[in-house]
Amino acid sequence: MLSPSRHRARPALFAAAAAVAGLVLAGLPATVSHAADQESCRPDGLYRTPGVDVPYCSVYDAEGREEMGADHPRRVIGYFTGWRTGKDGKPAYLASDIPWDKVTHINYAFAHVDGGNKLSVGSDGPANAATGMTWPGVSGAEMDPELPYKGHFNLLNKFKKQHPDVKTMISVGGWAETGGYFADDGTRVDSGGFYSMATNADGSVNQAGIDTFADSAVGFVRKYGFNGVDIDYEYPTTMKDAGNPLDWSLANGRRAGLVKGYAALMKTLREKLDRAGAADGRHYLLSVAAPSSGYLLRGMETFQVQKYLDYVNIMSYDLHGAWNEYVGPNASLFDDGKDAELAAAGVYSTSQYGGIGYLNTDWAYHYFRGSMPAGRINIGLPYYTRGFKNVTGGTDGLWGRAPATNCPAGSGLTKCGDGAVGIDNLWHDLDTNGKESPAGSNPMWHAKNLEKGVVGDYVTDYGFPADTKLTGTYARKYDATLVAPWLWNAEKKVFLSTEDEQSVKAKADYVVDRGIGGTMVWELAGDYAWNAGKGQYEPGSTLTGTMYDTFRSATPYGAERSTVEMPAEALDVGVEFGQFPLGDSNYPISPKLKITNNTKATLPGGTEFRFDYGTSAPGNAKDQSGWGTSVVRSDHTGNNVGGLEGDYHRVSLKLPAWQSLAPGASTELDLVYYLPVSTPSNWTVTFGGKTYALKGDLARGTTVVDPGTPTPTPTPTPSGTGSPSPSPSPTGGTGQCTAPAWSAATEYGGGSTVSHEGHTWKAKWWTKGEEPGTTGEWGVWQDLGAC
């Protein structure tokens, strides 16, 4: 069967009547009463579909925080996989095995994009695990007869009736089903999946495919009682050969358009789910499983989709594994400055990187924190191992090397790591030749047995003899800087990266201390419990319980994006990052920043823009256009050994003195930075003596205004001494303006005079479209006084 790598990847994704009927059948409330002002419940930074009264208050409180039950101030999201059915002779993990009282959300993995661009879990029938399978005689797996479908979906909704605060999400895609899907007979169909559904062969957005998929997603969640959709697209990045090698032949040709297609997909899903939610009286959630590797994120521009998401689940695991020779933790919390893979790539020695290591959870969290409130981010934890054999060097294997040249068939690799096999690789995949893929992949309950020197009675289910003996001792090691445990078998030279109560408690404390929304787990079936009667570890809920116990008394999560008070008034000035060089050409990262003035006022030369970007990138951003871009505040400086200290770098840039920005006009500048950043946020614009926020930040509590004519800038007295005198008032003249009236469509040369708003104005140089009275003292129009 398939292992965790089905989901994960390498570093180097009805009508209203029928809808209500479906909700009732699922045992869910058909309607939720609307609050008087749904906007008061909208999370900070979340996009709201225009013209739709989205029922945010059915999910969020008046602070924009998700309501999950009195003992769940933080999320515990568990992936529940559809293939651990027990029908293949291996241990089953069913909905009845989920620790329902300890989790807040369950992501069902996986649905897929079928050949017609629709969300699907395959054909209905008794062999369909999602909708048709049954488990006669299995306690807790009895079907709910009130539901018109069977399988996992029946059981999920049966238990949701007992635990109404728990939400379920249908997760679409994964490692093996991003670019294709598994047919009913178990063979993989290379359909193109997300790659072709969202992006055409020429790189343009496939809006027709996206609409078909989004409409089917709405129908699907209504039919089966889900609370929303989780997109696991691995990966919409411009980095060549990213994602599953089986998808490269199709994905590589579309790389230039994948990010646009991804953004269009998420916007369309958000809008269609919002409209459905308004009709159904319940807000439908939208989330993604997002990569954590700086390599992959470098090719995802500024991850422009975060505004459409209720929250993002970071896949902060698979940070090291047998896809290369560098032996390291699967999911370390922090960098220690010694990561062998990063050192080999010159990351620590290249000054522009600032010594920042980007293969750890803390780095990934701060990447997304640059554009989202902490509470809309969840960090990922693996309940499975990654491992190597024949390790040389390092400290008890850590940061050693395990090179191999015989790589798994279908991996696309000519050089790889020497992955652990056999009893050290219980949850393995098969390569395209049907052979065991070396990965050191095991559920954590098996790893705990290895640590204890126990051969569990389940090994026969995985093809091992009942009298199997272990070779050597699996000694537990722990690095407190990394927050990473592992098993080291010195005799076999086997390194297995693990998680246990100590590391999970440290990560849960990290979540609480930083106001993070919660955690996401791949996958629930890997958790463990000790069976004293059998003297072995078995599937359980020890790690999930550790998180629950830590979170239950935590303070509410951080609901605001900015760490300082922002202006209450916002302007409609658009900012957009684009024209990124593709893939490996994108270093240093050098997009164009386009600023568009959508107000009725001209922004004068000297207008200052400020924004924040995450401390996951060093504080050395600059421009190459003469705008004087500089970092004016840094919440963190230096390397990130042991974690980043603060969230933001604050950047200032100014319109050149000779340049103003008329209503409707745009301007561009060339930016440069050295590690990827998510969309810069907390923008302000200052001119005419006043500072505004920007509409595009979607901040709670802001009012969009149009400045019209800004407060006049004081001018010195004629003698240049004494107090400044204000500019002349538009009133007080003769009322007989003799100069022609100003026209936005007319071109004016230097020295031209016009009348506007009761004043005479003189152009200092050529101009068109710049309204007199809005360009400031140093702008194009000189005020000659009232007329």
Side-chain angles (χ1 to χ4, degrees), residues 512-551:
V512 172
D513 292 345
R514 285 157 182 79
I516 297 172
T519 53
M520 172 271 284
V521 170
W522 180 271
E523 58 166 299
L524 288 170
D527 202 350
Y528 57 82
W530 174 249
N531 185 329
K534 288 187 176 183
Q536 66 182 30
Y537 284 95
E538 296 176 346
S541 60
T542 298
L543 300 180
T544 304
T546 297
M547 287 187 286
Y548 168 73
D549 289 339
T550 304
F551 292 162

